[in-house]
Amino acid sequence: MHQYWYARIKQLHYFWGMLIGVSLVLAHLATILPRLVAHLDGNQYLFTPYTQWISFNTNPWTIALFLSLPLLSTLSVAQIIGEDARSGFIAHIVQYRCLKHYLLTNLGVSFIGGALTIVVPLLIDFIGVWCFLPHITPNPILNANMPLLPDTTYFASLYYTNPLALVGFYILLAGAVAGMFGLLSAVVSLFVDNRFIALGLGFTLTMMLNVLSNAMPHVAFSPVLLCIGCSPAYIPTFSATITGFVIAIGGLSALGSIAGRRRVYV
């Protein structure tokens, strides 16, 4: 079992999504930090880790990272189960392992791999601004030009009381959304052999939802936009988000089980 995963995960193409995400946040840090550090004297409250973190300070780097999230999450170990299906290896491996166990393990790994493609870059970005900017909690008056509002941010009040907890929440939320896209790609790859459909379907659906969420606020919502700390669009209630996420994960897991059995036994 360990040899199987070691032989698969050590391949570089499973890490392209994470490498691209890390490249984007490193470019973000290289762009903002020299300018901010040069103006720290007398302006500390404007330049804290929380006001400048990529998810709380929406800028072109934020848009690039989060809009590419559905594609980056598929360029991960979420590709493994599709490769097994296309090569026929899935029919071979179930001769030695329970199909149910194989599907649960690989779909779970697809979710975790997709999640890590965004969690790692977001952590690197926050650690980067944390190391160079003064650790000062945002102030509702001095940082009034950089507010987080309840209509566009979950638990916005934490920004002025416990911002580190809010950072942790949004890293986990972005990871959950990326994991869902990784799982979607893995399930689609069990239904169709076209690799580009499996990699690009989540990205295409997200672009459509992004347009609808701006055209019909409070009606349509994009999972990518809601996991940005300072979202450019209205967000649904937290309970609705959790409910939708649970339904999506449960539905994709059930579809993955059906598609896996179809691959082996039909």
Side-chain angles (χ1 to χ4, degrees), residues 196-207:
F196 294 102
I197 293 177
L199 293 177
L201 180 61
F203 180 79
T204 303
L205 292 175
T206 298
M207 292 300 102

Side-chain angles (χ1 to χ4, degrees), residues 28-225:
H28 171 249
L29 294 173
T31 301
I32 68 166
L33 285 179
R35 174 177 54 83
L36 296 180
V37 172
H39 292 85
L40 279 179
D41 187 24
N43 294 284
Q44 294 97 328
Y45 272 96
L46 297 180
F47 309 126
T48 76
Y50 308 107
T51 60
Q52 300 303 318
W53 184 46
I54 193 170
S55 189
F56 287 169
N57 188 356
T58 306
N59 54 53
W61 294 110
T62 307
I63 302 303
L65 178 64
F66 282 93
L67 288 189
S68 61
L69 180 153
L71 185 57
L72 298 183
S73 62
T74 65
L75 298 174
S76 65
V77 291
Q79 301 175 78
I80 289 179
I81 197 167
E83 292 175 354
D84 287 353
R86 286 189 293 272
S87 66
F89 183 65
I90 188 173
H92 169 75
I93 200 170
V94 296
Q95 297 179 34
Y96 306 96
R97 293 177 56 195
C98 171
L99 176 61
K100 181 180 179 180
H101 182 267
Y102 169 83
L103 291 173
L104 287 176
T105 301
N106 279 267
L107 292 176
V109 167
S110 297
F111 179 88
I112 294 172
L116 289 177
T117 60
I118 192 68
V119 166
V120 171
L122 288 177
L123 279 173
I124 290 174
D125 192 82
F126 183 72
I127 291 171
V129 292
W130 177 281
C131 289
F132 287 93
L133 301 179
H135 179 211
I136 300 175
T137 300
N139 185 283
I141 295 180
L142 296 178
N143 298 121
N145 62 326
M146 300 177 180
L148 296 188
L149 305 174
D151 286 340
T152 55
T153 302
Y154 291 115
F155 311 114
S157 61
L158 286 177
Y159 186 60
Y160 301 110
T161 57
N162 192 352
L164 187 60
L166 191 60
V167 169
F169 168 77
Y170 268 98
I171 289 177
L172 291 176
L173 180 61
V177 171
M180 182 179 66
F181 281 113
L183 181 60
L184 171 65
S185 176
V187 171
V188 171
S189 67
L190 289 173
F191 280 100
V192 297
D193 287 329
N194 191 310
R195 184 168 180 265
F196 294 102
I197 293 177
L199 293 177
L201 180 61
F203 180 79
T204 303
L205 292 175
T206 298
M207 292 300 102
M208 295 170 62
L209 289 173
N210 289 344
V211 173
L212 289 175
S213 66
N214 282 281
M216 297 182 293
H218 302 294
V219 176
F221 303 98
S222 167
V224 166
L225 298 183

